[in-house]
Amino acid sequence: MKPVTQDRPYSQTLSRLREAGLRPTRQRLALGRLLFDGGDRHVTAEALHEEAQAAGVSVSLATVYNTLHQFTEAHLLREVVVDSARTYFDTNVSDHHHFFLENAGSLMDIDGGKIAITGLPQAPEGTDVARVDVIVRLHGTPRPAE
Amino acid sequence: MKPVTQDRPYSQTLSRLREAGLRPTRQRLALGRLLFDGGDRHVTAEALHEEAQAAGVSVSLATVYNTLHQFTEAHLLREVVVDSARTYFDTNVSDHHHFFLENAGSLMDIDGGKIAITGLPQAPEGTDVARVDVIVRLHGTPRPAE
DNA sequence: TCTCATATTTAGAATTATTCTAAGGTGTTG
DNA sequence: CAACACCTTAGAATAATTCTAAATATGAGA
């Protein structure tokens, strides 16, 4: 039986895993490929799990969760908190922000270089700024380009 | 046994409820008082429930959830999404943003008038900006003023 | 290549915040 | 004070996520 997965290069997933000290297992390679081939993506665990199934890769949901967290620790992914019902993981780990389409539950990146925030008060003594998130919440559904 | 709750005025809770078209029930008055007496607050359902118990007010957790949502619909509260594990409700409904102390799980307001965001791209066609949230995530524990 | 220690995966149970349900209680209005 | 719509509630249900413990795969070394 032929392998179901495509055989184009593993989008550096293999070397990324090595650098992160994660063994390149079948599951991690497959998920890494789904995540990192193609452009920036925002996925939930459930969605990635389904996508893997659809691609013929057998991975348990628990492994999807494990992998997403390990990738996040390794800075291959970033967690985005926009919705208290589900957690999104973003393949874009550079400095940026988000549009959140509340109807669709989907995210779009806003380049961090484009926006500036002024007037932020100092962080309270004893604390450090770990990150600044800007979330632009949108209503309505974007008209797809015809 | 004396009532445990204070008997100072209901902080306009009663009139606020009336305006919102919500019947002023014992539970809503008690929760409203806890929420709106005193300054701006950030509460979770569980925390408010415990606080009510501690104040000698018997309210079920389901009612706390119902009430928080009804108050939110009535714009007496605002929901703040900072942590995918729990939902916070903010008694400050004016335009503002937040520091989020990740260690403590606590929120502090940042006056909306003080900060400015420039360079935000236009919202995609067919969508409207419902709200812009800025969350400054902090690490470390603030040194309490001695 | 074979073996072994260790890392990884997994099914399913467990957990946690939140919502739902349906039954009984309460506020309001006439 | 009757009647009905609105509220509250206990407990069951849901849904996302985490945990557990057992099975499996991987990489290093002989």
Side-chain angles (χ1 to χ4, degrees):
Chain A
M1 195 180 288
K2 285 192 224 162
V4 185
T5 50
Q6 306 161 302
D7 47 23
R8 65 182 144 112
Y10 280 85
S11 67
Q12 297 92 25
T13 297
L14 200 147
S15 48
R16 288 184 194 222
L17 291 178
R18 289 251 159 75
E19 277 173 42
L22 295 167
R23 284 189 184 173
T25 63
R26 178 175 61 75
Q27 292 85 341
R28 296 210 270 233
L29 283 167
L31 295 175
R33 187 138 70 145
L34 289 172
L35 289 168
F36 305 124
D37 276 0
D40 292 332
R41 306 202 47 193
H42 303 92
V43 302
T44 63
E46 293 280 358
L48 183 59
H49 184 233
E50 281 168 29
E51 199 179 322
Q53 313 273 250
V57 184
S58 156
V59 195
S60 74
L61 185 55
T63 296
V64 173
Y65 274 105
N66 290 340
T67 302
L68 287 172
H69 287 137
Q70 291 154 353
F71 283 12
T72 301
E73 275 172 41
H75 302 285
L76 300 176
L77 290 178
R78 222 173 90 163
E79 224 176 299
V80 185
V81 179
V82 284
D83 181 340
S84 52
R86 68 190 84 265
T87 302
Y88 289 82
F89 294 85
D90 188 348
T91 59
N92 181 350
V93 294
S94 70
D95 174 40
H96 70 288
H97 302 285
H98 293 98
F99 281 125
F100 180 52
L101 278 146
E102 305 203 313
N103 305 283
S106 65
L107 286 160
M108 299 174 54
D109 286 349
I110 300 174
D111 185 348
K114 290 205 176 128
I115 97 172
I117 308 168
T118 56
L120 273 181
Q122 255 192 320
E125 216 190 321
T127 67
D128 300 305
V129 175
R131 187 163 128 184
V132 177
D133 290 323
V134 178
I135 297 156
V136 181
R137 296 176 182 276
L138 303 175
H139 284 165
T141 42
R143 170 180 301 269
E146 295 195 38
Chain B
M1 196 179 285
K2 283 190 221 163
V4 185
T5 50
Q6 305 162 305
D7 46 23
R8 64 181 143 114
Y10 279 84
S11 66
Q12 296 92 26
T13 296
L14 200 146
S15 47
R16 289 185 194 220
L17 292 178
R18 288 251 158 76
E19 277 173 43
L22 295 168
R23 285 187 182 171
T25 63
R26 180 176 59 75
Q27 292 85 339
R28 297 211 268 233
L29 283 168
L31 294 176
R33 185 137 72 144
L34 288 172
L35 288 168
F36 305 123
D37 277 0
D40 293 332
R41 305 203 48 193
H42 303 91
V43 302
T44 62
E46 294 279 358
L48 183 59
H49 184 233
E50 281 169 28
E51 200 178 322
Q53 312 275 249
V57 184
S58 157
V59 195
S60 75
L61 185 54
T63 296
V64 173
Y65 275 105
N66 290 340
T67 303
L68 287 172
H69 288 137
Q70 291 154 354
F71 283 12
T72 301
E73 275 172 41
H75 302 285
L76 301 176
L77 289 178
R78 223 173 91 164
E79 223 176 300
V80 185
V81 179
V82 284
D83 181 340
S84 53
R86 66 189 86 265
T87 301
Y88 289 83
F89 294 86
D90 189 346
T91 59
N92 180 349
V93 294
S94 69
D95 173 41
H96 70 289
H97 302 285
H98 293 99
F99 281 125
F100 179 51
L101 278 146
E102 304 203 313
N103 304 284
S106 65
L107 286 160
M108 297 172 56
D109 286 348
I110 300 174
D111 184 349
K114 291 204 176 129
I115 98 172
I117 308 168
T118 56
L120 273 181
Q122 254 192 321
E125 218 191 320
T127 67
D128 300 305
V129 174
R131 188 164 127 185
V132 177
D133 289 323
V134 177
I135 298 156
V136 181
R137 295 175 183 278
L138 303 175
H139 284 165
T141 42
R143 170 181 301 269
E146 296 196 36

